[in-house]
Amino acid sequence: MLKARFRIQLPGDIWIRAVSQEFPDATFRLLACTEVDDQMVELGMTKSADIDEVIEACRTHPSMESYEVLSRTDDTAIVRNVTEDTHFQMFLDTVEQPPEFPIDVTDGYFEFDITGTRDLFEGFCDGLEASPARYELVSVVRRDEDGTLLTERQREILETALRKGFFEVPRECTVAELADELDVDKSTVSGVLRRGQARIVKEHLSGPPVPLEASR
């Protein structure tokens, strides 16, 4: 199984692209959406230092039928809106594997994760290549078939290393001491530690990017 994160340019005529580009430092998070009677009903969260101006720009966009602030703080608002703009649903209908929520939007681009088999992942990428959208593969991580990031052995050794202070600075135990604690040889502990840490790092750091300029 693969877990991949994509960054894709929003269509030029979608309302959230216009507003997010007007406020490039704001973050819009789509929590859920559904199409009802040719309109999109969306639940989202908006975070910005200029939250009042962002709310007003969203509320007054020509495609917006209704825009309700459910709760807010000085810089964050939870909103429910209804819009005539169904471009995002049209995008969802064209892909074999739907994106996972939440979906983040910043400065004209949206980011989301997909999880699936390699064939499904490659089919999704082929669909993006055939579209006019500019996109970037932000990261890709291989998971075991059961969806877990670490094997049971890797988790056992990493949890023991954490508990014994192996990751503290300075270290509070050595690989040899971990091996004695786990009753295994030192080389096994060292190898499992490296592989387990590599999986965790790859989960949180970017994989090989696909340059935006190279995409159609």
Side-chain angles (χ1 to χ4, degrees):
M1 298 289 285
L2 295 174
K3 183 179 181 67
R5 187 164 184 85
F6 289 88
R7 182 172 181 261
I8 302 180
Q9 187 178 48
L10 289 157
D13 46 2
I14 192 171
W15 76 270
I16 190 63
R17 175 174 176 175
V19 177
S20 66
Q21 288 182 321
E22 183 180 353
F23 299 93
D25 294 329
T27 298
F28 302 83
R29 174 163 288 183
L30 182 62
L31 304 175
C33 68
T34 187
E35 186 174 5
V36 179
D37 297 331
D38 296 325
Q39 293 181 323
M40 291 298 294
V41 181
E42 302 169 337
L43 178 67
M45 182 183 75
T46 302
K47 186 177 180 65
S48 172
D50 304 311
I51 192 65
D52 290 326
E53 291 84 352
V54 173
I55 289 173
E56 185 62 18
C58 294
R59 191 194 311 275
T60 58
H61 191 275
S63 72
M64 201 64 66
E65 286 292 305
S66 67
Y67 189 88
E68 178 184 6
V69 177
L70 303 178
S71 66
R72 61 160 295 171
T73 63
D74 290 341
D75 64 353
T76 304
I78 304 295
V79 303
R80 178 185 181 275
N81 65 270
V82 179
T83 175
E84 296 176 345
D85 192 338
T86 60
H87 284 88
F88 186 69
Q89 185 61 48
M90 292 168 61
F91 167 76
L92 294 180
D93 292 341
T94 64
V95 294
E96 182 177 354
Q97 177 72 0
E100 300 169 12
F101 288 91
I103 296 170
D104 293 330
V105 177
T106 306
D107 196 17
Y109 287 84
F110 66 107
E111 289 192 17
F112 59 84
D113 297 326
I114 66 167
T115 302
T117 63
R118 177 170 293 279
D119 286 345
L120 197 152
F121 168 75
E122 292 177 351
F124 187 87
C125 291
D126 289 343
L128 290 178
E129 285 292 329
S131 77
R134 300 171 68 198
Y135 78 94
E136 177 183 359
L137 175 59
V138 177
S139 64
V140 59
V141 177
R142 185 179 67 81
R143 291 180 178 271
D144 293 330
E145 289 303 316
D146 62 359
T148 59
L149 180 64
L150 300 172
T151 65
E152 289 186 11
R153 188 58 164 164
Q154 287 169 343
R155 179 175 294 278
E156 177 191 12
I157 290 179
L158 284 168
E159 286 180 346
T160 302
L162 182 63
R163 187 178 69 253
K164 301 293 288 186
F166 181 78
F167 300 113
E168 298 295 328
V169 180
R171 284 180 175 170
E172 297 176 359
C173 77
T174 65
V175 172
E177 290 170 333
L178 282 176
D180 289 340
E181 174 76 13
L182 294 159
D183 195 25
V184 294
D185 63 83
K186 181 179 174 180
S187 62
T188 296
V189 172
S190 179
V192 173
L193 277 174
R194 285 198 305 271
R195 290 190 293 274
Q197 289 177 91
R199 284 195 172 197
I200 293 172
V201 170
K202 289 176 182 178
E203 170 77 355
H204 295 286
L205 296 183
S206 296
V210 178
L212 293 172
E213 292 76 16
S215 302
R216 290 189 295 273

